[in-house]
């Protein structure tokens, strides 16, 4: 069959396709925090009256280039007080809208941070941490910058766990986390879903001792947390809603959110 395809291509005046597949792309406006979680896990009972309780919580959002130039004043007026902005993916992709989104949220008064969409089968954790921190994933103790965040979720290019064992994935996450801490003096927030994390990372290392948890679960109730975490800091409870991008709730009061951004 391959020989027949090559003959047809030559007759048509085209060069036959190379035997090896072209390298997969790295980075997309569609690879946002939770895009693959929504695809694989779907939503729960969001249409019932049981919307997540907001008393004692702080509403927020997360965006990527998929949202384009964000109207930050509109989101502020509707109640959003914090935002995470996608900065990078792998070791080559940079969000082309990052400056407008990261600076715009800051200028309107929000507490904001940057996140990295991990591709752990492409390069090691140290390399991706370096790329992230050098392209927006830094931190400063100004009271308005959240810890940098690591987005760990289903592989948008192939096998769910990136063809990696739990031990290998745990090593990758720890290397990324340690490198970000070395560069910024903050352990990164870990973004994930309970189902993906328990399958692909597991609980051999208790990341919750150092890394804040940003958990995705599209439902009116949060449900169990990933292995290794006893507390969640942010809940991404809906993939679309009042604000552009995903809808989030900080698990505490605004003063507590400020403290996380300060130390």
């Amino acid at each position: 069959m391959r020989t027949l395809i090559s003959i047809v291509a030559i007759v048509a005046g085209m060069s036959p396709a190379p035997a090896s597949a072209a390298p997969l792309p790295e980075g997309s406006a569609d690879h946002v925090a939770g895009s693959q979680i929504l695809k694989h896990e779907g939503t729960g009972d969001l249409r019932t009256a049981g919307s997540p309780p907001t008393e004692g919580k702080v509403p927020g959002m997360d965006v990527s280039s998929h949202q384009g130039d964000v109207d930050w004043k509109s989101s502020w007026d509707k109640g959003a007080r914090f935002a995470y902005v996608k900065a990078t993916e792998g070791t080559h992709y940079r969000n082309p809208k990052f400056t407008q989104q990261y600076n715009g949220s800051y200028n309107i008064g929000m507490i904001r941070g940057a996140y990295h969409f991990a591709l752990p089968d492409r390069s090691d954790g140290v390399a991706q941490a370096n790329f992230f921190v050098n392209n927006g994933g830094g931190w400063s103790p100004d009271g308005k910058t959240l810890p940098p965040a690591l987005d760990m979720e289903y592989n948008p290019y192939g096998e769910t766990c990136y063809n990696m064992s739990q031990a290998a994935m745990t090593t990758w996450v720890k290397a990324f986390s340690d490198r970000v801490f070395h560069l910024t003096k903050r352990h990164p927030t870990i973004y994930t879903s309970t189902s993906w994390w328990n399958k692909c990372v597991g609980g051999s290392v208790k990341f919750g001792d150092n890394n804040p948890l940003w958990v995705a679960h599209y439902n009116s109730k949060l449900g169990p947390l990933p292995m290794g975490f006893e507390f969640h800091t942010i809940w991404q409870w809906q993939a679309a809603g009042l604000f552009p991008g995903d809808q989030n709730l900080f698990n505490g009061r605004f003063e507590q959110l400020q403290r996380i951004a300060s130390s």
Side-chain angles (χ1 to χ4, degrees):
M1 179 62 73
R2 223 168 108 195
T3 302
L4 178 60
I5 292 171
S6 297
I7 292 172
V8 171
I10 292 169
V11 170
M14 301 180 294
S15 300
S20 59
L24 291 168
E26 187 169 293
S28 168
D30 295 328
H31 301 161
V32 303
S35 57
Q36 307 309 305
I37 295 170
L38 180 64
K39 178 180 177 181
H40 287 83
E41 299 181 16
T43 61
D45 59 345
L46 292 178
R47 297 186 182 276
T48 71
S51 295
T54 57
E55 185 177 355
K57 317 288 186 191
V58 181
M61 55 197 283
D62 62 88
V63 296
S64 71
S65 61
H66 189 78
Q67 280 70 46
D69 289 337
V70 175
D71 183 346
W72 290 106
K73 184 179 186 305
S74 174
S75 293
W76 176 269
D77 291 345
K78 292 175 182 177
R81 291 297 179 264
F82 72 93
Y84 263 114
V85 177
K86 180 177 179 179
T88 52
E89 180 174 334
T91 55
H92 293 92
Y93 177 83
R94 304 174 182 86
N95 174 7
K97 294 295 183 180
F98 180 76
T99 299
Q100 191 276 343
Q101 295 173 346
Y102 193 71
N103 292 347
S105 52
Y106 179 94
N107 291 337
I108 203 64
M110 291 188 193
I111 297 174
R112 52 78 169 109
Y115 78 86
H116 173 78
F117 193 104
L119 298 178
D121 60 340
R122 302 295 183 87
S123 53
D124 61 47
V126 171
Q128 292 195 33
N130 288 338
F131 182 71
F132 174 46
V133 173
N134 289 335
N135 290 281
W139 180 79
S140 58
D142 57 4
K144 293 185 71 174
T145 305
L146 292 166
L150 170 63
D151 180 351
M152 298 295 300
E153 59 181 282
Y154 297 83
N155 182 3
Y157 300 109
E159 197 275 329
T160 291
C161 298
Y162 300 82
N163 292 307
M164 295 170 66
S165 67
Q166 285 190 347
M169 192 71 78
T170 297
T171 297
W172 194 98
V173 174
K174 190 172 187 310
F176 184 99
S177 177
D178 289 347
R179 183 59 178 168
V180 168
F181 180 80
H182 174 78
L183 295 173
T184 69
K185 306 310 176 190
R186 291 301 302 266
H187 286 100
T189 296
I190 291 178
Y191 169 92
T192 194
S193 77
T194 297
S195 294
W196 184 89
W197 183 270
N198 289 354
K199 176 180 175 64
C200 298
V201 184
S204 62
V205 172
K206 195 174 180 183
F207 283 98
D209 287 345
N210 293 311
N211 301 88
L213 173 64
W214 175 14
V215 63
H217 186 60
Y218 309 124
N219 203 302
S220 60
K221 297 179 181 178
L222 178 54
L225 299 180
M227 294 179 181
F229 296 92
E230 297 178 356
F231 179 84
H232 79 279
T233 298
I234 298 172
W235 173 17
Q236 186 191 75
W237 72 277
Q238 196 170 10
L242 183 61
F243 314 123
D246 302 301
Q247 315 298 293
N248 294 275
L249 287 173
F250 172 75
N251 188 22
R253 299 181 304 277
F254 186 74
E255 295 76 15
Q256 293 171 297
L257 180 64
Q258 288 177 308
R259 285 201 293 272
I260 287 179
S262 300
S263 59

